[in-house]
Amino acid sequence: MIRWLLVVALALLLMQGLTGWLRKIGFGKLPGDFEFRAFGRLWQLPLASTVVLSLIAAGIARLL
């Protein structure tokens, strides 16, 4: 359980860092990706995009 929590946390951090580039190709705008403003800052929770990217990564890992 802890392992999956770490994987999801790392995926969210990676998504946050790559948000600008990924938005150009459509990620971060999927239904299930939340964006809200709090404390004067824009917060993003790309849940749906994280699931899609995880499925892509799992497919690539399975091929290898």
Side-chain angles (χ1 to χ4, degrees), residues 10-22 44 46:
L10 287 174
L12 286 172
L13 285 173
L14 182 65
M15 288 282 295
Q16 185 67 32
L18 297 173
T19 299
W21 180 74
L22 289 172
Q44 299 172 347

Side-chain angles (χ1 to χ4, degrees), residues 6-36:
L6 288 173
V7 168
V8 170
L10 287 174
L12 286 172
L13 285 173
L14 182 65
M15 288 282 295
Q16 185 67 32
L18 297 173
T19 299
W21 180 74
L22 289 172
R23 280 189 176 269
K24 289 181 184 175
I25 61 172
F27 286 99
K29 298 178 183 177
L30 298 173
D33 291 339
F34 303 105
E35 186 174 298
F36 58 94

